[in-house]
Amino acid sequence: MNPANRSRVVIATALIIALFLAAWFMLSPVTALLYLSTGLATAVIVLGLNIQWGYAGLFNAGILGFIALGGYAVMWVSVPPVPEAIAAGGAGLLSVIVKLAVTAICIWVLHLAAKRLPINLPVWLLRTLQVSIALAGYIWMKTEFVIAVEAIETADTLDQTMKGFIGGLGLPVLLGWAVGGVFAGIAAWFIGKVTLGLRSDYLAIATLGIAEIIRTFLKNADWLTRGTLTVSPIDWPVPTPREMNGMLESGLEINLKWLGISAEQTATAVGRGLFIAVSAIVLIILVLMMERALGSPWGRMMRAIRDNEDAAAAMGKNVVRRQLEVFVLGAILMGIGGAMLVSLNTLFDPSSYHPPRYTFLIWTMLIVGGSGNNLGAVFGALFIYMLWEMSEPIAQFLFFGGADMLTALIPGFEPPVDLASRASQMRVIVIGVALIATMRYAPKGVIPER
Amino acid sequence: MEYADLLNAGVYFINKGLLNAFKIGSIYALGAVGITLVFGILRFAHFAHGDMMTFGALIAFAGTVILRNLGINTEPIPTGLLALPLAVAATIILALIIDRHVYAHFRASKSPPVVFVMTSIGVTFILQGIIRLVGGTGDRQFFFTAVSNGESIREDKGRWLVKFDWLRDHFDGFTQKLVITMPQLWLFIFTAVALVGLHYFLNHTRTGKAMRAVSDNEDLARISGIDVGRVVKVTWVIAGTLAAIAGTLLAMDTQYKPILAFNLLLPMFAAAIMGGIGKPFGAVAGAFIVALAETFAVFDWRPIAGYLFADRFDMTASMALVPAEYKLAVPFAILVLVLIWRPTGIFKGQVL
């Protein structure tokens, strides 16, 4: 570690601990643990963004899309299948998939043929052909798809909490975390193929749009995600607080009174503690891997590309290809983080993904923490997340105090009825100010890159 | 098939299709012109533009409520329009304050565009927070009358409609309605006036020409003695004015809500990029192309098919090309296609 950074790291750690203790004593120990584990999962996402932005200078404004895909993946892997729905619409859906695959293969074969065979096909003709095949495939499968979806969404199930979608695979949830990374990575490969090479602003606009489309799809594809009905519960890789409760009742007694945790909260606290341990292990492994990558020749090459694309290209580096690698790698981490978040909340709610919370807050974390530096990314994630959560109770406190004071001072003053929801907006302002202030006064973040 | 059916189909097409497209197109145009001017002169994608629109709408709403409480009623002109100058002034002041205290610093230190974009995201956060803090998180109707004892009584929205009834008196079997709301009518008027005025300003005044010069080549403009700082201020004044008008009229036509303009951001960027960065009239063309494409992609052709080819189609499924939920995908697809095949836009704007 750079000695100049050492004091900054100490101060940063102290800040996080102070916020954590504030949550512990002002709210409750269980809430503080919840914030810590959410912060750790978010740190994985920020680590992913750090690879894209800090290592390679790619401006991804579509973080939300990868997080949501990761969240969907963990739901899909861990939730059991819904046999009634599969019986109703599974065959139709399979046929739709086959038809889509046939269409895709046709387009791909055409692409290969134009490339390899010695026929000189004009590009516009090739594109027109491919687009018409795509359209034909769409019309070919559309009716069948609508019927299958209708059947799945209306199939009667024994378990009402699983009604309306096809369910998942019913496999261990840790596998789901990994699959979350895979899904996000595959999506990133396609997105990167199309959008990399654009100027930074354009890349931001393009990725922002793709994220919105992914979100819209997950929200509206009820047969796949249950849409606004949400899927719950999603499993934990460790015993959930409820299972913990059962274990404690059956003889495993733990006394956490000395930590200020009441007997009722013990099961929740132990469960959350175990989850934090698993998240921390995942995070540490990922940080170590990324540090290795950053120090390797590959990492040096990435930074060279970031600092001067033209010079790196002149040295014979394949810039767009390297950027694609880095974009996919970063997205994988975002997917894993998104899967961890859904798993932690035991709930997959596609309509909960809002850009301010899942894209721009992540950016603020990285900028404040210090981009290009993995330690800075982790610090930024924990610090900004806790600041984000803690600014709400503080604002509530100030607002209701202020409203009481004004009511007492000014006769006839009536505070607005939605004071609580207005106060919760304060945190958005706090984050915005933190972002701009960092950009202005400490552009390299709290823990700068070495 | 009878004439009445043909007329019904045509009027439905105009009313639900074309009119909608032109309404949303006008909104996009007013926003996209601001975005393209900022993009061309300050050289960054201004993500906070949508929130400037919402801010203008909120101020107009506050002004409307105050005017109502004063008992001012200017039928047939909607009261909201009287509050529009206030909204415009407030949005201009907001834009200038933001520029002076946020963007000016980064301009002075010659920061890369990415820094500006990031900062404008920070500004978005703050504006979103302030808008909700002041205006609350709920939706608000412009056409409510606040009565003194605190209760609200809904105004008859019908009186803000312009109906074209004469067709019904002249043709038997004519059932479709052609209806334009008052805010829509004013939106078209304002858009036309604003764009003609902008055209005159950019082509025939010194300041307008200076703006175009800075947009083309900032350094050259500076050494030719153009006051770049003043040009930047004028840019914000224009962008703020257009944003406030668009936001207010959109909120009057539908309703005011805190996320009024977030979903407009992507179509407006698409329009600005499609028209060529730094080309205001390219942005206008782009805005109407995006709006037409988007409207007709989610347009349900069922009633028209029903009128023209009665009973020959299965009328149970929607006949829209794209499900309405995926409306946003249309401007996005346009954007990506333009970026890949013609990054300068259809009117050859700048490549930044």
Side-chain angles (χ1 to χ4, degrees):
Chain A
M1 193 187 300
N2 187 337
N5 269 356
R6 194 166 293 153
S7 58
R8 284 166 174 260
V9 172
V10 171
I11 293 169
T13 318
L15 274 174
I16 294 172
I17 293 174
L19 275 174
F20 178 74
L21 290 179
W24 187 287
F25 292 112
M26 279 174 66
L27 302 169
S28 78
V30 172
T31 316
L33 291 174
L34 173 68
Y35 291 170
L36 182 60
S37 46
T38 313
L40 287 171
T42 312
V44 175
I45 299 168
V46 180
L47 210 56
L49 182 65
N50 186 33
I51 295 172
Q52 294 182 342
W53 169 247
Y55 287 17
L58 298 176
F59 193 167
N60 176 5
I63 304 166
L64 171 148
F66 301 117
I67 295 178
L69 276 178
Y72 165 69
V74 74
M75 184 276 280
W76 179 68
V77 168
S78 66
V79 162
V82 181
E84 297 91 341
I86 292 174
L93 216 52
L94 199 66
S95 141
V96 167
I97 292 171
V98 170
K99 286 180 175 179
L100 277 182
V102 169
T103 314
I105 288 171
C106 284
I107 292 174
W108 187 59
V109 165
L110 210 62
H111 173 76
L112 278 189
K115 226 178 179 178
R116 300 274 160 82
L117 294 183
I119 5 169
N120 204 357
L121 207 58
V123 173
W124 65 266
L125 189 61
L126 177 72
R127 293 278 177 265
T128 318
L129 274 175
Q130 285 177 326
V131 169
S132 353
I133 293 177
L135 262 179
Y138 175 73
I139 295 167
W140 190 28
M141 63 112 213
K142 195 185 173 196
T143 323
E144 202 169 11
F145 180 70
V146 170
I147 292 168
V149 164
E150 179 83 24
I152 290 171
E153 284 173 6
T154 52
D156 258 327
T157 52
L158 283 175
D159 184 359
Q160 282 302 308
T161 61
M162 298 285 276
K163 186 176 159 52
F165 83 130
I166 51 170
L169 301 177
L171 295 173
V173 68
L174 264 182
L175 184 70
W177 292 13
V179 173
V182 173
F183 274 25
I186 293 173
W189 189 84
F190 283 105
I191 295 169
K193 267 283 186 204
V194 177
T195 57
L196 289 179
L198 297 177
R199 188 187 106 115
S200 55
D201 298 31
Y202 292 176
L203 182 64
I205 298 168
T207 43
L208 184 77
I210 291 173
E212 281 302 301
I213 290 172
I214 293 177
R215 180 168 78 113
T216 315
F217 173 72
L218 291 178
K219 205 161 91 182
N220 289 300
D222 285 11
W223 59 277
L224 196 65
T225 64
R226 262 187 121 221
T228 47
L229 293 173
T230 72
V231 185
S232 161
I234 314 269
D235 209 6
W236 279 21
V238 291
T240 60
R242 193 180 302 159
E243 291 161 0
M244 209 65 200
N245 223 346
M247 283 160 78
L248 289 180
E249 270 168 16
S250 61
L252 183 70
E253 284 294 338
I254 299 174
N255 188 350
L256 291 177
K257 238 187 185 149
W258 54 280
L259 281 172
I261 296 170
S262 64
E264 299 85 61
Q265 287 178 337
T266 302
T268 317
V270 173
R272 289 212 186 287
L274 285 176
F275 195 102
I276 288 171
V278 176
S279 314
I281 291 170
V282 171
L283 181 64
I284 289 169
I285 292 174
L286 289 173
V287 168
L288 290 178
M289 278 166 61
M290 292 311 132
E291 281 291 311
R292 284 291 301 256
L294 187 62
S296 72
W298 180 84
R300 279 200 300 277
M301 177 176 62
M302 289 320 307
R303 273 172 293 159
I305 291 175
R306 176 195 65 186
D307 292 338
N308 193 335
E309 255 179 52
D310 298 332
M315 297 289 285
K317 307 296 178 204
N318 188 344
V319 172
V320 174
R321 207 187 149 76
R322 294 287 95 75
Q323 287 184 335
L324 187 61
E325 275 173 18
V326 114
F327 192 67
V328 170
L329 190 62
I332 290 175
L333 292 198
M334 290 173 187
I336 296 175
M340 288 165 74
L341 280 178
V342 163
S343 182
L344 172 69
N345 296 330
T346 70
L347 168 79
F348 177 66
D349 177 8
S351 35
S352 72
Y353 291 103
H354 296 301
R357 165 71 181 83
Y358 286 98
T359 295
F360 301 129
L361 189 65
I362 306 292
W363 265 107
T364 310
M365 289 167 174
L366 182 65
I367 299 293
V368 171
S371 56
N373 181 353
N374 290 322
L375 212 58
V378 173
F379 158 72
L382 290 170
F383 177 69
I384 293 292
Y385 182 72
M386 291 204 190
L387 194 65
W388 165 265
E389 288 290 356
M390 289 304 290
S391 52
E392 187 170 340
I394 293 170
Q396 299 254 5
F397 176 76
L398 291 178
F399 268 52
F400 282 101
D404 287 347
M405 220 169 72
L406 285 178
T407 322
L409 285 178
I410 307 168
F413 175 81
E414 269 183 56
V417 280
D418 55 352
L419 203 61
S421 78
R422 289 188 192 208
S424 70
Q425 299 305 321
M426 270 314 284
R427 60 185 190 184
V428 189
I429 300 182
V430 170
I431 297 303
V433 171
L435 179 64
I436 293 180
T438 312
M439 301 285 289
R440 179 158 182 174
Y441 298 109
K444 290 187 173 233
V446 176
I447 307 178
E449 187 184 356
R450 281 158 291 181
Chain B
M1 187 172 38
E2 294 170 33
Y3 285 120
D5 281 340
L6 208 61
L7 256 181
N8 274 328
V11 169
Y12 175 82
F13 179 78
I14 292 172
N15 200 28
K16 289 268 161 24
L18 281 183
L19 207 57
N20 242 336
F22 277 99
K23 182 196 98 186
I24 199 73
S26 304
I27 302 278
Y28 290 167
L30 291 174
V33 167
I35 283 178
T36 206
L37 285 177
V38 174
F39 219 145
I41 287 169
L42 295 141
R43 299 195 154 65
F44 72 98
H46 188 223
F47 271 67
H49 208 80
D51 294 301
M52 270 169 51
M53 288 165 77
T54 317
F55 180 81
L58 178 62
I59 298 293
F61 179 75
T64 310
V65 171
I66 292 169
L67 287 174
R68 291 267 170 70
N69 283 341
L70 292 175
I72 294 171
N73 189 350
T74 49
E75 213 182 326
I77 298 171
T79 324
L81 276 190
L82 291 189
L84 188 58
L86 180 72
V88 168
T91 314
I92 290 174
I93 293 171
L94 176 83
L96 289 176
I97 289 177
I98 294 172
D99 184 66
R100 169 122 183 242
H101 292 283
V102 183
Y103 301 134
H105 167 82
F106 298 102
R107 208 157 47 235
S109 61
K110 296 232 178 274
S111 304
V114 158
V115 171
F116 283 94
V117 177
M118 213 87 83
T119 319
S120 78
I121 289 171
V123 171
T124 304
F125 267 120
I126 296 176
L127 281 184
Q128 281 275 327
I130 291 174
I131 285 166
R132 288 196 168 90
L133 200 63
V134 178
T137 45
D139 298 349
R140 285 163 196 276
Q141 301 287 343
F142 264 80
F143 294 104
F144 269 90
T145 304
V147 183
S148 53
N149 61 7
E151 272 182 63
S152 298
I153 293 174
R154 187 168 188 139
E155 278 184 9
D156 179 17
K157 220 177 172 179
R159 89 176 201 234
W160 303 108
L161 302 180
V162 185
K163 286 189 195 129
F164 295 91
D165 284 345
W166 59 269
L167 276 176
R168 196 178 317 184
D169 306 332
H170 290 77
F171 293 92
D172 286 339
F174 180 76
T175 51
Q176 284 292 333
K177 281 187 234 155
L178 183 59
V179 178
I180 302 178
T181 68
M182 212 55 165
Q184 285 172 2
L185 201 64
W186 284 101
L187 174 64
F188 296 141
I189 295 172
F190 270 106
T191 311
V193 170
L195 295 181
V196 170
L198 187 68
H199 182 75
Y200 175 79
F201 173 75
L202 286 178
N203 288 308
H204 299 283
T205 64
R206 273 188 83 82
T207 318
K209 286 178 189 166
M211 277 179 73
R212 291 192 323 180
V214 173
S215 175
D216 283 342
N217 188 332
E218 193 188 330
D219 294 331
L220 198 59
R222 199 187 297 272
I223 56 167
S224 325
I226 290 172
D227 181 355
V228 176
R230 186 158 165 273
V231 165
V232 168
K233 281 202 187 80
V234 173
T235 309
W236 283 115
V237 169
I238 295 174
T241 308
L242 298 181
I245 293 175
T248 306
L249 288 167
L250 178 63
M252 278 168 68
D253 189 41
T254 53
Q255 58 190 351
Y256 165 79
K257 49 190 175 197
I259 52 153
L260 182 74
F262 184 78
N263 283 338
L264 302 186
L265 208 55
L266 194 70
M268 289 189 311
F269 276 128
I273 292 172
M274 189 176 186
I277 295 303
K279 296 253 180 266
F281 294 93
V284 174
F288 283 104
I289 294 173
V290 168
L292 282 169
E294 169 182 299
T295 309
F296 285 103
V298 299
F299 185 71
D300 191 357
W301 297 90
R302 248 182 308 181
I304 291 186
Y307 284 127
L308 297 186
F309 320 97
D311 306 332
R312 270 190 282 157
F313 277 108
D314 170 26
M315 292 289 175
T316 48
S318 163
M319 288 169 91
L321 275 176
V322 177
E325 307 92 83
Y326 296 104
K327 200 172 171 184
L328 197 67
V330 177
F332 176 71
I334 294 175
L335 177 71
V336 169
L337 291 181
V338 169
L339 283 181
I340 290 171
W341 277 307
R342 209 175 158 87
T344 52
I346 45 177
F347 294 104
K348 275 257 176 211
Q350 302 163 23
V351 191
L352 290 174

